[in-house]
Amino acid sequence: FPVTINDVRKIFEIQAQEWSVVRECHVLSGSADYLLKIVARDFEEYQTFVSSQINSLSIVAQVKTNLVVASPKCLIGAPLELLKVNGES
């Protein structure tokens, strides 16, 4: 039976759940399909993970890398005022 794009997405998302170094996986619109946030001790460890795990998947055509060099602001959660409905306290 033919493999659909939804099948491919499901395969990738299941695999992303298995990788402990992948801390976040986001589905994107535009030219990229996914954004993965990965932790590694150093760039060599990162490269090893990408080449041995991500690039080894036949469903992955391309990997683009962006490294965080600084985080001038990094907050978790949402401000409580955004969660209020119609001025409720």
Side-chain angles (χ1 to χ4, degrees):
F1 65 95
V3 176
T4 68
I5 189 66
N6 287 334
D7 295 331
V8 172
R9 287 182 181 142
K10 190 67 173 171
I11 291 166
F12 185 82
E13 291 169 14
I14 289 169
Q15 184 58 61
Q17 293 290 333
E18 298 295 318
W19 292 320
S20 62
V21 298
V22 174
R23 308 313 296 168
E24 296 179 31
C25 176
H26 303 275
V27 178
L28 304 177
S29 65
S31 63
D33 296 321
Y34 290 94
L35 167 67
L36 301 180
K37 291 191 179 180
I38 298 170
V39 295
R41 287 183 197 96
D42 53 33
F43 191 67
E44 182 179 341
E45 184 176 272
Y46 167 79
Q47 285 181 306
T48 299
F49 171 74
V50 169
S51 63
S52 69
Q53 299 296 314
I54 298 176
N55 283 337
S56 69
L57 295 174
S58 61
I59 59 173
V60 173
Q62 183 180 37
V63 174
K64 293 183 180 179
T65 297
N66 293 294
L67 299 176
V68 174
V69 294
S71 299
K73 183 172 184 177
C74 184
L75 302 175
I76 60 171
L80 292 178
E81 60 269 13
L82 294 180
L83 301 177
K84 294 178 185 174
V85 179
N86 297 326
E88 294 178 358
S89 298

